[in-house]
Amino acid sequence: MILKRLTTLRKAKRWSLQYTADRLGIAKSTYAGYESGHRRPSLETINLLAGLYDTSTDYILGRVDYPYKDINTESPQVMELTDLSDMELAVDGISLSEEETIQFIAFIRAKREVEINRDKQNET
Amino acid sequence: MILKRLTTLRKAKRWSLQYTADRLGIAKSTYAGYESGHRRPSLETINLLAGLYDTSTDYILGRVDYPYKDINTESPQVMELTDLSDMELAVDGISLSEEETIQFIAFIRAKREVEINRDKQNET
DNA sequence: ATGTGGTGTACGCGTAACATGTACATTTAC
DNA sequence: GTAAATGTACATGTTACGCGTACACCACAT
């Protein structure tokens, strides 16, 4: 648990304890407790902190050693199933076989085909 | 806070509540409280869980959708379909509706159910 | 049928530790 | 110099966490 990193992160932003606490919605003394190590933030607060400081909870908690930023931009927002190169899909924790993925794509395409035909019918 | 992911992660390892709790050094009912959402784990426990489940605290907390095991390696990542919060899947460039995803998950589960029953038949 | 071990779920209680307000120390700006 | 802002430390009330316990369910064996 490396909460001392909080101080570094905060100072990198040139924020005061008060300002940070306000943004977190907690009292100044509460946040100060985190940095001093006397208190530990809740899970929600850790989440907020990672967002405020543009880093990850893993970095704040000391699981990784570099404060990678823009965690969201590193992962595409839309994943194209027909082009899954370095990614596996899973259901209930069990990875999909290649065949299952193919079936999935076929399933979706067929479903859409049906919908298109149905719409055409409705047009007339 | 997506602690529901804990259940998926645990079942992916085929662990029981008791076994997981033992490895965490806490009572079964305590860990069960996490998965049911009635209780929330401490920061240490979150850390341990991320290690046990080979994922990150960010994934457990729902900050990211990749259960990445190793940030630096390019090993294939596994994306849990039942657990996507801000990730979209697409086929032929068209995003899947939520309903389509749900239907597919049901499809896979049913398919696996059939396979399990067939295996049991073969055993006797 | 009855028992046994393993699993998941729900609840009440004691207590650890969290959040806060307050007070004090230190720094910065004027 | 003073005043405001910032950082630090502490006492207290209260939250909610962890635990034991009890119960329902299932698979399997007796």
Side-chain angles (χ1 to χ4, degrees), chain A residues 55-66:
Chain A
T55 183
S56 68
T57 59
D58 289 276
Y59 179 72
I60 292 177
L61 296 177
R63 296 196 71 242
V64 299
D65 278 334
Y66 79 98

Side-chain angles (χ1 to χ4, degrees), chain A residues 40 44 57-58 63 88, chain B residues 40 44 47 58 77 79:
Chain A
R40 290 163 8 171
E44 282 91 351
T57 59
D58 289 276
R63 296 196 71 242
E88 286 205 6
Chain B
R40 287 157 359 146
E44 282 92 351
N47 240 330
D58 287 278
Q77 306 295 335
M79 291 205 6

Side-chain angles (χ1 to χ4, degrees), chain A residues 1 3 40-44 46-48 50-51 55-59 61-64 66 68 71-72 74-82 85-97 99-101 103-105 107-109 111-112 115, chain B residues 1 3 8 11-12 14 40-44 46-47 50-51 55-58 61 63-64 66 68 71-72 74-82 86-97 99-101 103-105 107-109 111-112 115:
Chain A
M1 205 76 26
L3 291 174
R40 290 163 8 171
S42 68
L43 297 182
E44 282 91 351
I46 283 279
N47 241 330
L48 290 172
T55 183
S56 68
T57 59
D58 289 276
Y59 179 72
L61 296 177
R63 296 196 71 242
V64 299
Y66 79 98
Y68 50 88
I71 192 74
N72 289 325
E74 288 180 5
S75 51
Q77 299 297 335
V78 179
M79 298 265 324
E80 175 58 48
L81 285 180
T82 58
S85 50
D86 57 345
M87 178 78 39
E88 286 205 6
L89 297 176
V91 169
D92 299 329
I94 303 171
S95 288
L96 266 61
S97 68
E99 186 192 1
E100 284 172 327
T101 304
Q103 286 178 338
F104 182 22
I105 294 170
F107 169 73
I108 293 296
R109 282 176 174 158
K111 178 170 172 297
R112 287 176 176 166
E115 283 170 356
Chain B
M1 204 75 26
L3 291 173
T8 305
K11 294 194 169 172
R14 318 235 169 198
R40 287 157 359 146
S42 69
L43 296 181
E44 282 92 351
I46 284 278
N47 240 330
T55 182
S56 69
T57 58
D58 287 278
L61 296 177
R63 295 195 72 242
V64 299
Y66 287 83
Y68 47 86
I71 289 167
N72 294 321
E74 294 179 358
S75 60
Q77 306 295 335
V78 179
M79 291 205 6
E80 175 58 46
L81 280 179
T82 60
D86 47 67
M87 173 88 40
E88 295 238 338
L89 296 175
V91 169
D92 301 329
I94 303 170
S95 288
L96 267 61
S97 68
E99 189 192 359
E100 284 173 328
T101 306
Q103 285 178 343
F104 175 62
I105 291 170
F107 167 71
I108 291 295
R109 282 177 175 158
K111 178 171 169 293
R112 287 175 176 166
E115 285 169 356

